[in-house]
Amino acid sequence: MPQTKPIVSVENVVASASVDQKIDLNEITEKFPDTEYHPEQFPGLVFRLKSPRTATLIFRTGKMVCTGAKSEEMAIKAVNTVVQKLRKGKIKIKNDAVITVQNIVAAINLGGKIHLEKAARTLPRSMYEPEQFPGLIHRMLDPKTVILLFASGKLVCTGAKKESDVYRSVHNLHSVLEEKNLMIYDQ
């Protein structure tokens, strides 16, 4: 049984979406002057929301990418809000967006230090080159995530498609670190 309970904080949820139709980005720019659209630099239009605080890229193909949400629900709400605002602004959007979470990034504090040298030798699918990067990179197979481990006991988990996968990854890794005596707790 782990000695500490990890503190997990979801920092960013990236979701893709599609309304399955072409969209006139110039028309959106005219009706929503605070959007950002510079087609000579990037083909997508940036539609920012204050609540939930997110940025949604909209492409003329009808595809969208929402970033900045702090939960799966918030990402879904953000995309649906963007679609509603476009419709209110008289942009014709026939279908509701089909939304898929692509990546969840979370920051974790295990509440103790990690012996990275030993962990690098013990954990399979790990890479540790302290001259290049101070963290150990661990690729977990189930759930499929990548976790960065730092000596401070802080972790960054990326690649999860569901929040439950973040928690499962952290729990599995924390249990292994405990079992193999790779955690150092200040008494």
Side-chain angles (χ1 to χ4, degrees), residues 11 19 24 29 50-51 58 62 69 91 95 142 158 161 167 173 187:
E11 297 296 327
V19 290
D24 183 345
T29 311
K50 284 191 175 58
S51 178
I58 304 172
I91 307 283
N95 307 316
D142 182 33
T158 183
K161 303 249 190 237
Y167 289 94
L173 180 62
Q187 302 315 343

Side-chain angles (χ1 to χ4, degrees), residues 26-164:
N26 291 318
E27 186 187 2
I28 295 175
T29 311
E30 286 162 27
K31 292 180 178 170
F32 297 90
D34 37 348
T35 57
E36 296 163 38
Y37 183 46
H38 308 286
E40 62 288 342
Q41 289 168 11
F42 183 73
L45 174 141
V46 183
F47 197 114
R48 294 181 197 282
L49 292 178
K50 284 191 175 58
S51 178
R53 197 181 151 132
T54 54
T56 301
L57 296 174
I58 304 172
F59 298 92
R60 57 182 183 75
T61 58
K63 293 199 184 317
M64 301 179 189
V65 177
C66 173
T67 63
K70 300 284 186 194
S71 70
E72 292 173 71
E73 296 79 52
M74 204 187 280
I76 291 163
K77 182 180 175 219
V79 172
N80 288 329
T81 301
V82 167
V83 170
Q84 278 173 331
K85 283 182 180 275
L86 291 175
R87 285 176 175 154
K88 275 198 183 120
K90 304 278 187 278
I91 307 283
K92 286 185 184 65
I93 298 200
K94 298 187 290 286
N95 307 316
D96 288 337
V98 176
I99 306 162
T100 312
V101 172
Q102 297 295 340
N103 185 20
I104 298 175
V105 179
I108 300 98
N109 187 342
L110 293 181
K113 304 223 179 312
I114 303 170
H115 199 305
L116 286 186
E117 290 284 337
K118 273 195 210 159
R121 293 192 296 270
T122 311
L123 295 173
R125 298 171 309 284
S126 291
M127 223 172 76
Y128 181 50
E129 294 181 26
E131 301 79 34
Q132 290 178 358
F133 183 70
L136 181 148
I137 303 163
H138 175 65
R139 295 180 189 284
M140 194 171 277
L141 296 178
D142 182 33
K144 191 170 189 274
T145 55
V146 174
I147 302 180
L148 305 177
L149 294 80
F150 298 92
S152 63
K154 302 247 179 15
L155 311 175
V156 175
C157 177
T158 183
K161 303 249 190 237
K162 299 195 296 274
E163 283 174 55
S164 58

Side-chain angles (χ1 to χ4, degrees), residues 146-185:
V146 174
I147 302 180
L148 305 177
L149 294 80
F150 298 92
S152 63
K154 302 247 179 15
L155 311 175
V156 175
C157 177
T158 183
K161 303 249 190 237
K162 299 195 296 274
E163 283 174 55
S164 58
D165 285 350
V166 171
Y167 289 94
R168 222 158 45 94
S169 291
V170 170
H171 175 77
N172 293 352
L173 180 62
H174 195 204
S175 298
V176 170
L177 292 173
E178 289 267 333
E179 273 165 36
K180 309 277 188 198
N181 290 321
L182 300 169
M183 291 296 301
I184 306 154
Y185 297 104

